[in-house]
Amino acid sequence: MAADATLVVQQPAAPARIARKLWQFRRWPLIPMFFLVLFVFTGIFAPLIAPHDPERGGLRDRNLPPAWEAGGSSEFLLGTDHLGRDMLSRVIFGARISLAVAGVTLGVGMVIGVASGLIAGWYGGWLDEFLMRIVDIKLAIPTILLALVLVLALGQSFLIIVAILAIAVWPRFARNVRGEVLQLKTMDFVALAKVAGASTPRILFIHIFPGVINTLIVLATLEVGIVILLESTLSFLGAGVPPPTPAWGSMVSDGRDRLAVAWWISTMPGLAIMLVVLSMNLFGDWLRDRLDPRLRQLN
Amino acid sequence: MQRYLLRRILLAVVTLLAVSLIIFVMSRAAGDPRHVYLDDYSTQEDWDRLTASLGLDKPYYQQYGIFLGSALKGDFGESIKEGRPSMEVIIERIPATLQLGLAAFAFSVIVGVPLGILSAVKRGSFLDMAGKVVALVGQSAPVFWLGLMLVFLFSVRWNDWFGNSLVPPYGRQEISSIILPAVTLGWFYAAANLRLLRSAMLNVMDSEYVKLARAKGVSNNIVIWKHSLRNALIPVLTFAGITLGSLVTGSLVVETVFAWPGLGQLAIQALAGNDYPLLQAVVIVFTLMYVAAALSVDIMYAYIDPRIRYS
């Protein structure tokens, strides 16, 4: 009987429990999930799926309309751009850029954000004050403007774009993780771990971090859309991953002055951006309602 | 409350300092500024003279001090392309940007607020569905693409169908020129207002005091307009401040799409032309507007929300 009389301690959510919870979820948002899977899949396997080389085209094939319009051919399903490059292939390869940028950015931003959030929340004091003021300042500077200035000074490359976007992304993670840590560190299981002699890193990673995972997952899904929009905006303004790499934003920009002759050049990549961001938002909303309804105030 | 306000003001000042420092460091990292003015045929004396007149012979912290000092006086040096003081160029552009920003803000309120209230009150109705579509498009479509699609529909295609465009596709010549850019810029915020207000209204309408009011027999209209809306407006108001500020950033993109001759377009032109003195000035002015908007909302917020006033 002694075994039954264990202390009742509030437990942080363990990954295994999250997995079980996920499995029990009803009403999965199937359509958004379909598009997200499609996005990830095309991004990864772009060279295998794309019917043409996205960076080469023949001038004889330029400005061909999509297959369903008069004058379109089944060889170029979504038509061709002003240099005769296949739109479909370019949209497919564009998924790759967006996926890579969003993935790496979120990875880096999350690591920095979580680390500083954990430290600020756990240690408090001047360290907390210092980190949170940096977050405040970052949030008070218009992101795109900052990004443009940095790109101009440092040059255009995949790594620089990712670094800039990671700078834009980390503060929100830091702030939310800190808030969670402030709550978690007053809980019994943390006090008990301390009494049991656990080291600070151990408490932070084994006891506190699992409690933050829900928030992280939700925030990350909501941030993906923001990152993709930011990246495409930079590309549109000519400050993204440099051409001829097909990025969705710069493709929309290519078609800007050709709306009257070839509307599809701008329309198709924009639709792709909207579809991905929309799906991500719907999926993120759904996840948030299931995992962490408190984050709803975030919006 | 004084402490709260003091903190906010301090934060605004530090933010501006941080931005000025970033700009200063970046302008040095971008390469030797003398190359903008001189070329291989310039003599050594030219180089020396320019070095001295730009203050490049002094240590970096002094250079930053000089930069900051003249920035405070509104002096950012001459625009390389225009050949006159950057501030002068900027001041000419401000009215266009303010006009566009206000129009977009008005659009976001006029569309977002009523739709937000109605979709909460008539939950599940056709209006609620329509609101949802407006919100989803606004939050997912990239601003630049939305603008181009509006141009395509209401100028290019309209011209094909009816012989002339409904609204001008770009520029600022006619009064109706502002419609497309304002809608493009305002849509995202209309969507955000709508979503915020809808969920805030639903929250408030579910609260104890609204239930009590209903139990007391207060009429439906008064419950909605007085008890619910007033409280639901607080998050919307906070957001309005963020909106005002980030309309500034949004103008970068929208002004580029519509060739609207404001600050945003100027910033992009300065970027493209490596016009550093002008760029620095634009970035500082943008940040100033952004920070000022956030600060004024913080202050307004303190007066409206008693929880802040008394803490």
Side-chain angles (χ1 to χ4, degrees):
Chain A
M1 291 315 270
D4 289 333
T6 43
L7 279 169
V8 179
V9 178
Q10 281 168 292
Q11 273 184 37
R17 199 168 329 138
I18 294 177
R20 196 161 1 116
K21 242 194 215 161
L22 277 172
W23 191 245
Q24 292 165 351
F25 284 166
R26 304 290 190 291
R27 310 213 313 148
W28 291 73
L30 288 177
I31 298 173
M33 283 171 74
F34 168 76
F35 282 117
L36 290 178
V37 170
L38 188 71
F39 168 58
V40 174
F41 185 79
T42 41
I44 294 173
F45 299 106
L48 300 178
I49 307 168
H52 296 272
D53 185 334
E55 294 177 18
R56 287 174 66 181
L59 285 180
R60 217 178 310 145
D61 296 328
R62 69 178 183 271
N63 294 347
L64 283 179
W68 61 87
E69 293 260 312
S73 82
S74 56
E75 201 192 336
F76 307 105
L77 281 177
L78 297 183
T80 57
D81 70 2
H82 58 295
L83 296 177
R85 297 173 295 193
D86 179 38
M87 286 301 300
L88 180 62
S89 307
R90 287 180 67 74
V91 170
I92 289 173
F93 270 86
R96 185 163 239 217
I97 296 294
S98 287
L99 184 69
V101 169
V104 181
T105 300
L106 276 176
V108 176
M110 238 154 92
V111 169
I112 302 175
V114 169
S116 43
L118 283 176
I119 292 172
W122 181 257
Y123 289 103
W126 68 268
L127 206 55
D128 180 25
E129 191 70 16
F130 175 70
L131 284 169
M132 286 307 112
R133 288 303 80 78
I134 293 184
V135 167
D136 281 343
I137 291 172
K138 173 64 212 41
L139 292 177
I141 300 175
T143 306
I144 293 191
L145 204 56
L146 181 69
L148 288 175
V149 174
L150 291 179
V151 167
L152 181 66
L154 305 175
Q156 262 169 291
S157 75
F158 180 81
L159 279 181
I160 288 176
I161 303 293
V162 164
I164 289 172
L165 291 176
I167 293 176
V169 159
W170 78 272
R172 213 160 314 179
F173 284 104
R175 184 174 272 182
N176 281 289
V177 167
R178 171 184 174 269
E180 296 274 311
V181 173
L182 284 183
Q183 280 185 2
L184 287 171
K185 78 175 185 184
T186 61
M187 297 234 171
D188 294 339
F189 65 84
V190 174
L192 287 177
K194 258 193 217 163
V195 171
S199 65
T200 305
R202 191 183 159 82
I203 295 179
L204 279 179
F205 288 107
I206 309 283
H207 298 279
I208 296 211
F209 182 66
V212 184
I213 289 179
N214 274 359
T215 310
L216 271 186
I217 295 175
V218 174
L219 259 185
T221 49
L222 294 176
E223 289 284 316
V224 171
I226 296 177
V227 171
I228 291 179
L229 283 180
L230 271 177
E231 185 269 331
S232 64
T233 305
L234 285 181
S235 303
F236 177 79
L237 293 174
V241 180
T245 314
W248 285 341
S250 53
M251 291 165 69
V252 174
S253 170
D254 284 343
R256 244 180 92 187
D257 303 324
R258 303 182 175 85
L259 280 178
V261 237
W263 55 268
W264 50 90
I265 301 179
S266 284
T267 310
M268 298 306 172
L271 269 180
I273 301 172
M274 185 166 116
L275 216 55
V276 170
V277 176
L278 183 63
S279 306
M280 210 67 224
N281 285 346
L282 288 174
F283 182 66
D285 283 351
W286 174 83
L287 257 186
R288 179 192 55 196
D289 288 347
R290 296 299 181 286
L291 288 177
D292 202 345
R294 273 170 309 157
L295 277 176
R296 202 172 299 170
Q297 311 149 3
L298 254 178
N299 240 314
Chain B
M1 179 161 100
Q2 270 160 355
R3 249 196 90 197
Y4 166 81
L5 287 184
L6 203 68
R7 275 180 81 104
R8 294 281 123 185
I9 292 169
L10 213 64
L11 180 69
V13 174
V14 174
T15 305
L16 282 171
L17 277 177
V19 169
S20 73
L21 190 62
I22 292 172
I23 292 173
F24 176 77
V25 172
M26 286 305 135
S27 68
R28 292 299 178 268
D32 193 333
R34 289 173 297 185
H35 286 295
V36 181
Y37 301 96
L38 300 174
D39 53 32
D40 293 343
Y41 300 105
S42 310
T43 59
Q44 185 60 39
E45 281 121 62
D46 287 338
W47 284 95
D48 292 342
R49 204 170 333 116
L50 192 67
T51 310
S53 77
L54 289 177
L56 294 175
D57 47 351
K58 300 192 175 72
Y60 278 125
Y61 69 91
Q62 271 188 25
Q63 290 183 28
Y64 178 62
I66 296 170
F67 168 68
L68 206 59
S70 37
L72 278 177
K73 282 181 270 173
D75 174 15
F76 288 91
E78 282 188 359
S79 156
I80 294 168
K81 200 173 130 249
E82 302 257 342
R84 52 204 179 104
S86 303
M87 236 18 204
E88 206 179 293
V89 182
I90 286 176
I91 286 170
E92 288 171 10
R93 297 287 194 123
I94 287 179
T97 292
L98 281 185
Q99 209 178 33
L100 178 59
L102 284 177
F105 186 70
F107 173 80
S108 75
V109 172
I110 292 169
V111 170
V113 171
L115 262 182
I117 298 172
L118 284 173
S119 54
V121 175
K122 299 196 187 304
R123 200 175 169 184
S125 69
F126 171 73
L127 258 171
D128 192 12
M129 292 290 287
K132 215 165 239 168
V133 172
V134 170
L136 285 176
V137 170
Q139 302 219 301
S140 312
V143 177
F144 53 89
W145 181 74
L146 194 63
L148 286 177
M149 290 302 108
L150 290 177
V151 168
F152 178 60
L153 218 62
F154 293 108
S155 287
V156 178
R157 269 294 143 102
W158 203 274
N159 195 20
D160 295 347
W161 295 332
F162 305 108
N164 64 335
S165 325
L166 185 65
V167 277
Y170 57 82
R172 194 179 165 231
Q173 272 79 41
E174 293 159 54
I175 298 175
S176 55
S177 296
I178 203 171
I179 296 176
L180 288 187
V183 170
T184 307
L185 186 54
W187 197 317
F188 175 85
Y189 303 99
N193 276 336
L194 194 162
R195 278 177 60 140
L196 267 179
L197 195 57
R198 181 179 182 274
S199 68
M201 279 292 276
L202 287 177
N203 259 339
V204 176
M205 280 160 64
D206 198 38
S207 68
E208 297 296 321
Y209 60 86
V210 166
K211 281 181 194 153
L212 178 72
R214 284 191 194 280
K216 282 197 309 190
V218 177
S219 80
N220 197 31
N221 274 336
I222 294 185
V223 168
I224 290 171
W225 294 108
K226 206 172 153 203
H227 293 80
S228 308
L229 184 60
R230 269 202 192 175
N231 288 293
L233 272 178
I234 291 182
V236 178
L237 196 67
T238 324
F239 188 74
I242 307 171
T243 311
L244 274 179
S246 51
L247 279 176
V248 168
T249 331
S251 71
L252 280 172
V253 178
V254 174
E255 286 181 8
T256 306
V257 171
F258 290 97
W260 186 263
L263 278 181
Q265 198 197 29
L266 189 67
I268 302 293
Q269 284 167 353
L271 269 167
N274 270 322
D275 194 341
Y276 251 101
L278 186 58
L279 184 68
Q280 290 177 338
V282 180
V283 172
I284 292 277
V285 168
F286 263 132
T287 315
L288 196 65
M289 289 163 93
Y290 196 81
V291 168
L295 187 64
S296 52
V297 168
D298 281 339
I299 293 171
M300 205 160 59
Y301 204 48
Y303 281 100
I304 288 173
D305 194 338
R307 278 169 299 184
I308 293 179
R309 214 181 309 151
Y310 296 120
S311 67

